[in-house]
Amino acid sequence: MTTPTSGPDRPDAVVVGAGFAGLYALHLLRQRGLSVRLFEAGDDVGGTWYWNRYPGARCDIESIFYSYSFDEDLKREWQWSERYAAQPEILAYLQHVADRFDLRRDITLSTRVESAHFDEASDRWTVTTDAGETVSAQHLVLGVGLLSSTNLPQIPGRDDFAGPTYHTGAWPHEPVDFSGQRVGVIGTGSSGIQLIPLVAEQADQLTVFQRTPNFSLPARNGEPDPRFVKRFHEDFENAREELRNSSYGILLEPPTRSALEVSDEEREATYRARWEEGTLTGILQAYNDHVRNHEANHHAAEFVRARIAEMVDDPQVADDLTPRGYAYGTKRPCLDTDYYATYNRDNVTLVNVRRDPIERITASGIVAGGVRHELDALVFATGYDAMTGPLLGIDIRGRGGVRLADKWAEGPVTYLGISTAGFPNMFMICGPGSPSALSNAVVSIEQHVEWVADLLTHLRESDTEVVEAEAGAEVEWSEHVQAAGRMTLYPETDSWYMGANIPGKPRVFLPYIGGVGHYRQHCARIARDGYPGFALRRPARR
Ligand code: NAP
């Protein structure tokens, strides 16, 4: 009996995850002639935008940029209703993409990939799912997302709470009505900052438990910016090229000057203009040394601190909401609608848990600083085991049965954030060591997917079929990623970029800060030069 070369249980590639990354990977690999199976744990496509249904969930990069650019017609035909689209609209967009490109026929929903083991005898991946299916694939493409492995902190009594509990990243599908309720929210990162104003409007009482205040700028959401819409309609190719070769995957005039070389008046005027713009990085990108130089950073931080003091009526609450002790930008900054003004409402209480630590969760609420806060519902806006969590949540084993979790015990080591030695034909989309979290993820996803598709085409054309990062290349790259990080202020801050939000997680700077355009050119050079740093060989057995 001969082994079939393809079929539903023997695809060329298995793609994991049906978010922005997985959908595009499925589309492009199929276009390149590969047979593909995509597994998605959710009951529909959408990834992050399937799971994050909390009130206020929306993107904070302008939708015209935070959407695919690989297809000009798709870009033209989809009109975003807002500058920063809300979750239902982004989910509808991804559902539209799945239908428009006929992706669903190769997607298996409601099915979680539990393990992926590399079989050295056949040079193929054996992938098993929680539905009991086993598939053998030549390639494994991991589009599992950066922020999809939810973090529920180990607070004493966490499971004793008698009322409903929610995590922003696993929000129920049925509407949640907080009317008449006393609601507690733990966490004031991007998710908490989006959710808190809307819960405050609905709930009887809202108590926010804040450990670290964040820097947040007003979103000034509204109509999509007509300048950008026009550019993409009239000058698609050039706009796309500019986006792809930018520093962060957004169209932005790169700063050329230091915050320290201008007068106080000029700096203040610049910050004020940027404050009015309503962009995530407007102030940070006003000068070129905000995330490299403490003094420069201090100016920008002080500007935002002064705005918080203006917006919040109670001076003690304003003081508690004021971020200090870390450089602005080194924790992921936020964009909000009425966040700070929410604390002027009579039904909102802020608990500074640095001053009044959470002691325990009880059946009826939270005890913090000796005070009992009675609650009917509790929301965890406590974030994610970022970047490595979703990968290590799958039992991945490479050559010699080595577990990825063991290989990365001291932190992730990758070549280009795409590949890791000992795990042939396995590709991470926006893995650790790539710009990913420090960029517009959609632009970075497109770059990775296209680069991987080109590599797989090259393997076919050169009749090699097996590719693996070389150990030396990945060590060199990983050292470069850390060295680039050390040129900035990021490593000084306890953030999820550093793995510091998860107890016991190795402290490693997870994303690459070299910039989207620079990184893209580096990857393109590697492809052009015949993939140095990768070993290419023929398969053990067809
Ligand atoms: P996050 O930024 O990690 O924030 C988690 C919050 O929970 C922090 O305030 C953290 O405090 C707090 N926390 C965690 N454990 C705690 C504990 N034991 N006690 C008290 N407080 C605790 O998570 P996120 O807000 O979900 O955002 C994660 C990332 O997702 C963002 O940075 C962003 O990249 C992305 N995101 C984007 C959007 C968007 O607008 N597009 C929206 C949501 C999320 P500490 O800071 O002290 O750790």
Side-chain angles (χ1 to χ4, degrees):
M1 201 174 82
T2 53
T3 312
T5 50
S6 68
D9 60 350
R10 251 184 108 73
D12 294 322
V14 157
V15 173
V16 188
F20 270 101
L23 291 179
Y24 185 38
L26 167 57
H27 172 63
L28 193 59
L29 295 185
R30 233 167 50 177
Q31 264 193 348
R32 300 287 177 98
L34 276 75
S35 59
V36 185
R37 288 282 306 275
L38 186 154
F39 293 99
E40 164 56 54
D43 295 338
D44 200 355
V45 301
T48 285
W49 301 102
Y50 170 85
W51 298 104
N52 279 263
R53 295 163 184 254
Y54 61 86
R58 58 177 70 249
C59 58
D60 56 11
I61 289 174
E62 296 183 59
S63 292
I64 188 85
F65 307 144
Y66 191 80
S67 45
Y68 291 119
S69 68
F70 68 83
D71 187 289
E72 185 170 355
D73 292 336
L74 172 66
K75 195 92 191 165
R76 277 185 204 285
E77 73 199 17
W78 187 272
Q79 310 285 334
W80 293 104
S81 69
E82 289 182 286
R83 187 177 180 193
Y84 302 110
Q87 174 269 337
E89 191 173 358
I90 306 175
L91 180 59
Y93 171 75
L94 289 167
Q95 290 166 334
H96 167 72
V97 168
D99 295 332
R100 190 188 188 285
F101 296 100
D102 188 22
L103 302 180
R104 291 185 188 272
R105 66 185 153 91
D106 289 322
I107 299 176
T108 307
L109 295 170
S110 317
T111 304
R112 186 174 289 280
V113 167
E114 289 190 325
S115 69
H117 295 178
F118 187 71
D119 172 27
E120 286 179 78
S122 62
D123 275 322
R124 291 179 75 90
W125 286 92
T126 304
V127 177
T128 62
T129 75
D130 64 357
E133 190 173 358
T134 300
V135 168
S136 165
Q138 187 185 353
H139 302 291
L140 177 65
V141 179
L142 298 161
V144 290
L146 315 177
L147 297 153
S148 53
S149 179
T150 52
N151 169 41
L152 268 185
Q154 296 291 341
I155 298 171
R158 190 189 70 196
D159 301 329
D160 296 345
F161 188 67
T165 60
Y166 307 93
H167 190 287
T168 50
W171 202 261
H173 284 216
E174 57 280 6
V176 176
D177 187 0
F178 290 119
S179 302
Q181 295 193 8
R182 297 162 301 176
V183 181
V185 174
I186 303 177
T188 53
S190 302
S191 305
I193 280 175
Q194 289 185 332
L195 165 119
I196 284 164
L198 290 166
V199 175
E201 280 176 14
Q202 199 181 54
D204 196 28
Q205 287 290 325
L206 169 63
T207 307
V208 177
F209 297 86
Q210 172 198 265
R211 188 164 66 185
T212 310
N214 226 312
F215 290 90
S216 187
L217 266 50
R220 309 196 192 286
N221 198 12
E223 298 274 303
D225 190 325
R227 288 171 307 162
F228 296 136
V229 176
K230 192 164 179 279
R231 261 216 80 185
F232 273 97
H233 277 245
E234 292 176 2
D235 187 22
F236 177 77
E237 287 295 335
N238 287 326
R240 183 171 72 171
E241 275 315 289
E242 200 179 314
L243 198 64
R244 292 177 165 198
N245 288 294
S246 64
S247 296
Y248 294 94
I250 52 180
L251 295 188
L252 170 111
E253 202 59 47
T256 52
R257 291 197 299 170
S258 158
L260 306 179
E261 69 182 70
V262 298
S263 67
D264 290 350
E265 294 71 27
E266 180 178 344
R267 208 170 35 236
E268 177 78 9
T270 302
Y271 290 154
R272 277 205 182 273
R274 299 294 182 110
W275 176 262
E276 295 304 322
E277 271 178 15
T279 59
L280 189 65
T281 54
I283 289 181
L284 284 166
Q285 286 301 306
Y287 297 104
N288 62 17
D289 49 358
H290 278 146
V291 295
R292 287 192 284 117
N293 179 298
H294 275 294
E295 195 184 339
N297 191 282
H298 178 75
H299 288 301
E302 280 294 280
F303 177 83
V304 179
R305 291 181 191 123
R307 302 290 78 70
I308 296 171
E310 284 170 1
M311 287 185 284
V312 180
D313 296 342
D314 182 321
Q316 181 60 56
V317 176
D319 194 59
D320 284 342
L321 285 167
T322 301
R324 294 191 186 89
Y326 67 93
Y328 174 26
T330 57
K331 269 171 115 67
R332 167 71 156 66
C334 305
L335 208 56
D336 73 86
T337 300
D338 298 333
Y339 176 66
Y340 293 107
T342 295
Y343 292 92
N344 297 332
R345 296 174 65 106
D346 291 338
N347 69 334
V348 177
T349 305
L350 178 68
V351 179
N352 176 344
V353 306
R354 292 236 187 250
R355 194 173 51 228
D356 299 314
I358 296 179
E359 290 155 34
R360 65 184 184 282
I361 296 177
T362 68
S364 62
I366 292 182
V367 182
V371 177
R372 298 182 78 87
H373 299 273
E374 298 293 325
L375 304 170
D376 301 309
L378 182 53
V379 176
F380 289 90
T382 45
Y384 300 88
D385 181 352
M387 298 190 72
T388 52
L391 295 164
L392 300 182
I394 302 171
D395 173 17
I396 298 176
R397 300 186 196 187
R399 276 195 294 108
V402 172
R403 294 169 68 233
L404 185 62
D406 290 335
K407 180 180 173 185
W408 286 3
E410 304 298 317
V413 183
T414 72
Y415 186 35
L416 303 174
I418 295 176
S419 180
T420 189
F423 296 77
N425 288 4
M426 181 182 97
F427 309 99
M428 295 166 280
I429 306 302
C430 289
S434 73
S436 53
L438 292 174
S439 69
N440 172 357
V442 184
V443 172
S444 288
I445 283 166
E446 286 190 334
Q447 184 263 337
H448 263 192
V449 168
E450 287 162 14
W451 194 88
V452 169
D454 287 348
L455 172 57
L456 300 198
T457 304
H458 175 81
L459 292 179
R460 286 213 152 162
E461 287 171 354
S462 58
D463 199 23
T464 41
E465 303 281 357
V466 185
V467 59
E468 182 180 345
E470 290 170 350
E474 72 172 7
V475 167
E476 202 179 313
W477 177 255
S478 300
E479 283 173 356
H480 171 63
V481 170
Q482 296 311 306
R486 283 193 298 273
M487 292 169 72
T488 73
L489 306 176
Y490 283 91
E492 297 175 15
T493 298
D494 289 341
S495 68
W496 62 254
Y497 294 134
M498 298 300 299
N501 63 327
I502 303 295
K505 189 167 173 173
R507 194 180 178 94
V508 170
F509 189 46
L510 294 167
Y512 175 52
I513 200 170
V516 166
H518 167 83
Y519 172 81
R520 181 185 189 83
Q521 286 149 24
H522 182 70
C523 290
R525 231 176 357 254
I526 286 177
R528 215 170 35 239
D529 293 349
Y531 299 98
F534 288 97
L536 276 60
R537 63 175 168 79
R538 286 167 188 274
R541 196 192 304 151
R542 299 265 175 191

